[in-house]
Amino acid sequence: MIYPGSILQVCGPPMTGKSTIVEQVKGHRSASNRGAIIYHPILCRGLISLQDILSAVMRKLKPGTFNGNIEWDVGYVLQEILSLLELCSSHHNVFVFHKCEHLRTSGRDHEFLIFLSHLANTFMSLNFKVSVVFTTYKKFPISGRSTEYVHVGMLTDQWDILNLLKYYAPGVHVSDCVYICHKFLCLPECVIRLAEEYLVKDTYIPTPEQLEKIVCCDVDFHALTFEKRVAEVVQWLSKSDVELLWQFCSSLDVTFTEGKYICIF
């Protein structure tokens, strides 16, 4: 799926585990290739222009070197990447751009895709193995012989759930937990939290019956899963969706005030 010269778009709704899938592929590929692949993760959350992306790339290449706002030239950044590749010329370098959706919503996606094309293809002629992966919940209009698209949705396949549990709870017998996750947890982040919070224990691991009770009845389990993403919700929703959510919350709780709403978002 990730081969030299390719561009892979991993797309799907928020919290469906796009970055998690990339991390899993990274772990499996690195293990099978004995370190022959080097991944360069770049977080793009909130970035809305190519200049933002170039700055993020330069911060990744030379952390702590640049201060303030600098207008980067694409050619200069590619030259810096070339310098990096020359240090590990025998490796397959994969640049992973996480959470790129704001480039799409800002209408600046075209220049971003051109940059990715340069990144994936320019170095192939120099015999360097480079691939590009980017994740987004807004699909980019990308096509071509060397492009791939993977859609990530809710967890519905028990085999995917089993692999996810094994990845985040290595060495633990997780087969009995698959049914619980398949029945009650459709989001990868919930499954990951279950694995990290309850299955990776040095002392006591709850029984399947106890885990089912936790998943069904423990409000804090779900609250803590979603809490870290609350600030992003308004970016996922349209204005009409936000207004509908306000009306829905008000109908459920007469004490739900605008102040509470602002505190949440």
Side-chain angles (χ1 to χ4, degrees):
M1 188 166 61
I2 302 176
Y3 53 89
S6 67
I7 301 175
L8 172 64
Q9 175 179 195
V10 181
C11 183
M15 295 189 71
T16 50
K18 298 177 290 296
S19 293
T20 298
I21 286 180
V22 173
E23 286 299 311
Q24 283 185 278
V25 172
K26 170 184 171 182
H28 293 319
R29 290 291 300 273
S30 296
S32 62
N33 286 275
R34 297 181 178 87
I37 300 179
I38 300 177
Y39 287 83
H40 308 279
I42 300 165
L43 181 61
C44 303
R45 180 190 289 123
L47 304 188
I48 61 173
S49 70
L50 179 59
Q51 274 300 317
D52 291 340
I53 295 295
L54 296 179
S55 295
V57 172
M58 290 304 297
R59 285 195 296 271
K60 179 66 179 179
L61 294 176
K62 297 185 176 182
T65 304
F66 306 103
N67 296 314
N69 296 322
I70 300 176
E71 287 289 320
W72 297 106
D73 176 71
V74 172
Y76 178 82
V77 174
L78 291 175
Q79 187 62 42
E80 289 295 317
I81 293 174
L82 176 60
S83 298
L84 170 69
L85 298 178
E86 288 173 341
L87 297 175
C88 46
S89 58
S90 63
H91 292 75
H92 178 186
N93 288 265
V94 181
F95 291 84
V96 184
F97 296 84
H98 292 279
K99 305 183 185 302
C100 300
E101 48 274 344
H102 283 84
L103 288 155
R104 178 66 173 145
T105 55
S106 69
R108 311 294 287 275
D109 51 311
H110 182 64
E111 57 186 14
F112 172 62
L113 293 177
I114 291 176
F115 172 69
L116 296 189
S117 179
H118 284 313
L119 185 55
N121 299 316
T122 299
F123 302 111
M124 287 292 291
S125 61
L126 301 175
N127 296 320
F128 291 107
K129 293 180 287 187
V130 176
S131 302
V132 174
V133 179
F134 69 98
T135 70
T136 172
Y137 65 76
K138 291 285 187 180
K139 186 178 179 181
F140 284 62
I142 184 172
S143 61
R145 183 170 54 87
S146 298
T147 62
E148 299 282 346
Y149 169 75
V150 173
H151 177 77
V152 181
M154 300 297 181
L155 276 176
T156 57
D157 189 287
Q158 294 192 25
W159 182 253
D160 291 337
I161 295 172
L162 178 62
N163 286 331
L164 194 62
L165 288 170
K166 285 183 175 180
Y167 184 80
Y168 284 93
V172 178
H173 181 71
V174 296
S175 299
D176 293 336
C177 304
V178 173
Y179 170 77
I180 298 170
C181 295
H182 185 257
K183 185 175 181 179
F184 300 107
L185 302 176
C186 61
L187 295 174
E189 288 200 27
C190 293
V191 176
I192 293 170
R193 176 166 177 76
L194 182 73
E196 293 180 336
E197 186 73 16
Y198 297 103
L199 301 183
V200 186
K201 295 284 187 180
D202 294 330
T203 53
Y204 173 73
I205 296 178
T207 65
E209 292 76 16
Q210 292 170 326
L211 284 175
E212 183 170 343
K213 186 175 181 180
I214 290 170
V215 168
C216 295
C217 305
D218 189 348
V219 177
D220 289 337
F221 171 78
H222 293 283
L224 292 173
T225 301
F226 289 96
E227 186 178 35
K228 63 180 181 180
R229 306 297 294 274
V230 166
E232 301 175 44
V233 172
V234 290
Q235 301 169 1
W236 303 342
L237 304 175
S238 65
K239 183 179 179 181
S240 59
D241 290 333
V242 174
E243 291 174 351
L244 181 62
L245 183 61
W246 157 256
Q247 294 173 5
F248 176 70
C249 292
S250 300
S251 68
L252 293 178
D253 183 1
V254 293
T255 66
F256 191 82
T257 63
E258 186 174 356
K260 286 185 179 180
Y261 182 77
I262 293 173
C263 286
I264 293 175
F265 294 110

